[in-house]
């Protein structure tokens, strides 16, 4: 019995699979995509072959499942590596392109297998991209949440600088949630260490708005209620200009140029001073 167009297309694809994998890898490398640039050739070929084998399985199925599954796994893996979806889909596109070109050449006089491939290619590619996008977005959101939690933890550190003196390094932009977390951490540290001076180090804050400045001033006043003095150190000129433009009154909170000046002022408040040996 004469093979159907679908059977001939699938047989052809499987017979040429290794050659198509090599051609696809060469095309990806020629495109000089950033992620694939440092990918060892042997590892790239093994990875691409797994993808091509998944496509082969889906050519024999009414509903694509193998290719979407492998792209879903790739989406999670590549998201954790910071690879963009565009780079991933570009690599996939080269693979489909190579196969389509091969079908067009070898079935020029027998278009039915080529038409079968193109119909299946559309369904398989669409299902794969949808699975990739879903997995990638979920993984990126999880990564962003993890990074946000890590940044929050770093930004709420309160460190003993000297007996009676704490320093709270502030990094990046602070929304009300982060300022509240800092306030809670600072008040707990003041009570735990029985500190009398807290240095809010603003050297890592590139800019400031009312949404950050007002809660920060509130945190400084809360520190005072526990019997400690708040100092602002390391304020950048642009931050100072913003505070002045906002018309905020910070005269009750001494501001020093840098951390060293702040520590010297803090020690003076404690009746101590730094003496050169």
């Amino acid at each position: 019995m004469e093979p159907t167009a679908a059977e001939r297309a699938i047989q052809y694809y499987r017979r040429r699979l290794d050659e198509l994998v090599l051609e696809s890898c060469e095309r990806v490398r020629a495109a000089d995509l950033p992620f694939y640039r440092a990918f060892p050739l042997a590892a790239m070929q093994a990875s691409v072959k797994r993808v091509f084998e998944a496509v082969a399985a889906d050519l024999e199925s009414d509903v694509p499942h193998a290719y979407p599954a492998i792209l879903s796994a790739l989406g999670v893996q590549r998201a954790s590596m910071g690879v963009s979806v565009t780079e991933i889909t570009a690599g996939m596109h080269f693979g489909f392109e190579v196969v389509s070109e091969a079908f067009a050449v070898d079935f020029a006089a027998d278009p039915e297998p080529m038409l079968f491939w193109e119909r299946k290619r559309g369904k398989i590619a669409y299902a794969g991209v949808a699975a990739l996008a879903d997995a990638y977005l979920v993984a990126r959101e999880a990564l962003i949440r993890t990074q946000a939690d890590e940044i929050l933890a770093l930004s709420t550190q309160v460190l003993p600088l000297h007996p009676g003196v704490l320093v709270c390094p502030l990094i990046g932009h602070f929304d009300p949630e982060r300022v509240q977390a800092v306030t809670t951490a600072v008040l707990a540290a003041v009570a735990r260490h029985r500190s009398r001076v807290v240095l809010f180090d603003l050297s890592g804050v590139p800019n400031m708005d009312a949404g950050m400045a007002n809660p920060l001033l509130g945190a400084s006043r809360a520190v005072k209620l526990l019997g400690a003095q708040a100092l602002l150190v390391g304020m950048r000129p642009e931050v100072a200009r913003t505070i002045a433009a906002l018309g905020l009154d910070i005269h009750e909170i001494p501001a020093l140029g840098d951390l060293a000046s702040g520590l010297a002022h803090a020690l003076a408040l404690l009746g101590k001073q730094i003496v050169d040996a």
Side-chain angles (χ1 to χ4, degrees), residues 50-214:
R50 286 194 295 272
V51 173
F52 270 60
E53 288 171 343
V55 171
D58 284 339
L59 287 175
E60 300 176 355
S61 173
D62 291 335
V63 179
H65 58 86
Y67 182 70
I70 202 167
L71 254 66
S72 179
L74 276 175
V76 174
Q77 183 188 57
R78 300 296 192 258
S80 67
M81 300 168 68
V83 182
S84 70
V85 170
T86 303
E87 285 188 59
I88 303 171
T89 55
M92 300 299 122
H93 170 74
F94 286 129
F96 282 118
E97 187 178 63
V98 164
V99 178
S100 290
E101 290 173 2
F103 267 95
V105 170
D106 292 335
F107 289 94
D110 182 16
E112 289 301 318
M114 181 179 66
L115 293 175
F116 169 82
W117 158 255
E118 291 299 336
R119 286 195 297 269
K120 295 293 286 189
R121 166 189 171 167
K123 291 177 64 176
I124 293 169
Y126 178 80
V129 169
L132 168 67
D134 288 345
Y136 187 92
L137 288 175
V138 169
R140 287 297 295 173
E141 286 173 1
L143 179 62
I144 290 169
R145 283 195 299 272
T146 299
Q147 291 174 335
D149 290 341
E150 291 174 352
I151 291 172
L152 182 60
L154 288 172
S155 65
T156 56
Q157 290 192 80
V158 185
L159 310 172
L161 190 60
H162 186 276
V165 181
L166 298 174
V167 61
C168 179
L170 303 179
I171 303 171
H173 182 76
F174 279 70
D175 56 23
E177 180 184 359
R178 288 184 69 188
V179 174
Q180 181 59 48
V182 167
T183 301
T184 300
V186 167
L187 295 180
V190 169
R192 183 169 64 254
H193 295 283
R194 298 181 181 178
S195 300
R196 292 177 53 195
V197 184
V198 178
L199 306 177
F200 287 100
D201 185 359
L202 304 179
S203 57
V205 177
N207 52 61
M208 184 179 294
D209 55 22
M212 178 179 176
N214 284 318

Side-chain angles (χ1 to χ4, degrees), residues 221-237:
R221 296 185 183 108
V223 164
K224 192 171 184 179
L225 292 176
L226 292 183
Q229 172 66 59
L231 303 177
L232 302 179
V233 301
M235 188 183 301
R236 298 187 182 192

